Amino acid sequence: MAGSAGMTTPAPRALRRFGLIAAPIAASIDQATKAWALDALWPPYSEGITLLPVLNLRLGFNTGVTFGMFAESAAGAVWLLVGIKLAVVAWLLMWLRRAANRTEATAIGLIIGGALGNILDRLRIGAVTDFIDAHYGGWHWPTFNMADVAIVCGVTLLVLTSFRAPSPQAQPQ
């Protein structure tokens, strides 16, 4: 469809493609890096590998929800957590169908891919494999993985795009 300035706006199907490409890429990177971590960083919860004074690679497992919260109570609720995450993925897929631009579609795809990467872990081993340990002094951020990175990047893109002015084609005339 043509815009007022003679520029074409991508069709919704073309926009969805950005998300549908980002999702499997994010999930694949996540699963590949977790496979590496399981092999290279065993045993879990050891010192791991120091990359920078503020960054280690250290294997751990999250049986809880975000940042390991409720780990004790969530450990037996694998199927409940998987079900909730699958419902969120379904909602994100519906949102992706209505994506307004490439950035939004890509951001949603990153979030979907990250969620799917962590769902695969829960289904396979009952916990999410984490291995990136960011720290400063004696303070450690909860250990995370590449699925978490994809989710945070996706959410950040969504927030940043929400501050942009709508394109001239999207404004009522």
Side-chain angles (χ1 to χ4, degrees):
M1 106 181 49
S4 58
M7 296 175 56
T8 59
T9 303
R13 179 180 234 180
L15 288 177
R16 283 194 303 267
R17 191 172 329 154
F18 286 93
L20 294 175
I21 291 170
I25 289 172
S28 296
I29 290 170
D30 172 65
Q31 290 297 296
T33 56
K34 286 175 179 173
W36 172 85
L38 286 166
D39 183 54
L41 301 174
W42 199 266
Y45 311 108
S46 64
E47 289 301 313
I49 300 169
T50 300
L51 293 181
L52 299 169
V54 295
L55 186 66
N56 299 336
L57 299 178
R58 186 173 71 88
L59 185 62
F61 299 96
N62 179 1
T63 58
V65 291
T66 305
F67 304 128
M69 294 186 313
F70 313 115
E72 290 79 30
S73 59
V78 171
W79 290 107
L80 176 64
L81 292 173
V82 166
I84 291 168
K85 286 187 180 198
L86 285 173
V88 169
V89 167
W91 177 77
L92 288 166
L93 285 168
M94 289 188 299
W95 185 2
L96 179 60
R97 290 176 53 99
R98 298 185 311 270
N101 57 58
R102 292 178 191 162
T103 305
E104 183 180 5
T106 302
I108 294 167
L110 288 172
I111 298 167
I112 290 169
L116 290 174
N118 283 339
I119 288 170
L120 287 171
D121 275 14
R122 291 230 187 253
L123 291 173
R124 227 179 43 250
I125 61 174
V128 174
T129 304
D130 289 325
F131 62 94
I132 303 170
D133 175 31
H135 58 89
Y136 182 74
W139 181 83
H140 286 259
W141 184 259
T143 307
F144 56 99
N145 57 50
M146 293 306 290
D148 301 329
V149 170
I151 292 168
V152 168
C153 288
V155 169
T156 301
L157 280 172
L158 287 176
V159 169
L160 292 175
T161 58
S162 73
F163 294 121
R164 288 194 328 200
S167 66
Q169 294 117 346
Q171 294 175 349
Q173 298 188 8

